[in-house]
Amino acid sequence: MRKGLIFFLVVNVLIVAFLVRSVFTLLLLLVEDASEDAIHHAEIPAPNSGLIDNRPLLIPKIIHQTYINESIPEHWRVGQQSCIDLHGDYEYKLWTDASSRDFIASEYPWFLDTFDNYGLPIQRADAIRYFVLAHFGGVYIDLDDGCNRRLDPLLSYYAWVRRTLPTGISNDAMGAVPQHPFFLRVIEELQSYNRNWQLPYITVMYSTGPLFLSVIWKEYIGEGQNEESRVRVLMPDEYNKHAWSFFTHHRGSSWHGKDAMFIFWMGRHWMLITALGFLIAGIVGICLWWVYGRMMLLGTPKGQSKARRLPFWRRPSQKDYELVERHEV
């Protein structure tokens, strides 16, 4: 029985180790604060500062945005126009569903089947932003983000993304030089992450959205990068918290459904969810031990069945031995 117990424990440890390995990067994201690659206050010149002209401009002056067609909803036009007005010397590219597909078919035909077969339009909107940044370079901005000041200081980095809370990075504002290795990695990994997780919110987040991007980013920065391949991180204060921040935020998340509300509820009650998780794990462990015990009984020779019925923690008493001796006499 002792060997059986050891075997049972080893199998369970291996199962737990496999599960932890499967979500290891997600667990690391929980403690990643992006401080090593953060764009600090002191690095960013104030709006209209003369220091801006002394900084090298590495990222092309291109602003990319995406929408179904060219008829932008009224509640996003103010944000869109603010970016256009502040950047008259930038090239502006609005990627519609039609132009996005034409671009993928022309430049990245190996991805066209995946692009066409995404189950949700937001997945195509996510994917195209990675491809155009990898191809053209420039700055991508979601339509629910407006521009609060010129983006010139952010063009001095080879690539940047923005920090999101509680962990990871977002894909709603980011920039890069053409062919930056991080965004090349991102577009390369899109197909391997293309899975249906049944809940639309989780499917989007982990196949093309911010969670997908965060996992790739965490793995990428763990490999060690030089300055040209480094990805800098725009922190919340610099993003939209102050009058000198780069962006403003408007109503968005138009693709969120009821499942997203459930995920947000889970996030607000994570301690309860964690406790329930441990409780369920304990119940499952007890059930597995019971099943294992039953299987051991079924495999026990008939003459040994009485002894095997004793619980594993009980040793036979002297009385048990006496009864056996009397029977044999």
Side-chain angles (χ1 to χ4, degrees):
M1 192 67 177
R2 184 175 299 172
K3 291 182 179 179
L5 174 61
I6 293 174
F7 176 78
F8 175 80
L9 293 176
V10 169
V11 169
N12 279 271
V13 168
L14 290 175
I15 292 173
V16 171
F18 172 77
L19 294 175
V20 170
R21 177 65 183 87
S22 300
V23 297
F24 187 65
T25 304
L26 293 175
L27 295 176
L28 290 179
L29 275 174
L30 295 176
V31 296
E32 176 60 60
D33 61 4
S35 58
E36 291 187 7
D37 296 304
I39 300 175
H40 299 287
H41 302 304
E43 295 182 55
I44 301 176
N48 303 316
S49 170
L51 293 175
I52 295 176
D53 296 332
N54 298 328
R55 294 164 64 95
L57 299 182
L58 304 172
I59 295 176
K61 290 185 173 183
I62 307 173
I63 292 176
H64 303 276
Q65 295 192 296
T66 63
Y67 193 61
I68 302 169
N69 49 48
E70 295 184 359
S71 301
I72 306 299
E74 183 66 32
H75 59 274
W76 285 338
R77 289 179 190 172
V78 174
Q80 177 200 31
Q81 196 61 45
S82 68
C83 292
I84 294 174
D85 291 344
L86 280 170
H87 302 90
D89 55 334
Y90 282 48
E91 181 181 2
Y92 180 81
K93 291 178 176 287
L94 178 64
W95 295 92
T96 64
D97 286 358
S99 63
S100 296
R101 189 186 186 282
D102 290 344
F103 170 74
I104 294 295
S106 174
E107 300 292 341
Y108 300 93
W110 54 268
F111 190 74
L112 186 60
D113 285 345
T114 303
F115 190 79
D116 285 342
N117 290 319
Y118 275 133
L120 298 165
I122 185 61
Q123 292 175 287
R124 286 184 283 275
D126 280 336
I128 191 62
R129 66 190 68 181
Y130 306 134
F131 278 96
V132 298
L133 284 181
H135 190 86
F136 298 103
V139 177
Y140 172 82
I141 308 171
D142 261 2
L143 282 172
D144 55 2
D145 281 320
C147 293
N148 191 49
R149 56 177 289 188
R150 281 183 63 88
L151 303 177
D152 294 359
L154 296 178
L155 304 187
S156 299
Y157 306 103
Y158 289 95
W160 60 270
V161 291
R162 84 163 182 92
R163 178 86 160 89
T164 190
L165 299 176
T167 186
I169 59 175
S170 183
N171 66 353
D172 57 358
M174 49 193 176
V177 298
Q179 301 295 296
H180 191 277
F182 172 66
F183 284 100
L184 292 178
R185 169 82 65 87
V186 170
I187 64 175
E188 183 71 26
E189 294 289 345
L190 278 168
Q191 289 179 321
S192 62
Y193 278 78
N194 183 26
R195 300 189 184 98
N196 186 343
W197 296 93
Q198 302 308 315
L199 293 176
Y201 182 80
I202 296 178
T203 298
V204 171
M205 291 290 286
Y206 202 46
S207 64
T208 59
L211 186 55
F212 157 76
L213 189 66
S214 296
V215 169
I216 304 303
W217 167 73
K218 181 58 183 173
E219 294 174 348
Y220 180 82
I221 63 176
E223 298 170 3
Q225 309 299 330
N226 58 34
E227 192 60 31
E228 292 186 4
S229 60
R230 188 181 180 189
V231 179
R232 302 299 299 274
V233 180
L234 188 70
M235 304 304 277
D237 281 349
E238 288 75 22
Y239 170 56
N240 69 352
K241 298 293 185 183
H242 303 283
W244 46 266
S245 300
F246 285 97
F247 299 99
T248 58
H249 189 68
H250 305 267
R251 179 166 62 91
S253 302
S254 58
W255 58 275
H256 286 179
K258 292 182 178 179
D259 62 316
M261 300 302 104
F262 174 67
I263 299 298
F264 295 155
W265 178 88
M266 292 177 64
R268 291 192 297 270
H269 300 84
W270 66 271
M271 292 187 67
L272 172 63
I273 301 299
T274 302
L276 288 176
F278 279 110
L279 176 62
I280 293 172
I283 293 173
V284 170
I286 292 172
C287 292
L288 288 174
W289 174 252
W290 181 84
V291 170
Y292 174 77
R294 299 299 299 174
M295 292 176 64
M296 291 293 293
L297 281 176
L298 291 175
T300 301
K302 189 173 182 179
Q304 301 177 16
S305 60
K306 182 180 181 221
R308 291 295 187 184
R309 288 194 189 99
L310 293 174
F312 74 91
W313 57 82
R314 178 183 167 191
R315 294 179 179 276
S317 65
Q318 184 63 33
K319 182 178 179 180
D320 292 328
Y321 286 120
E322 290 175 355
L323 288 174
V324 172
E325 290 170 357
R326 291 175 184 173
H327 178 73
E328 290 177 347
V329 172

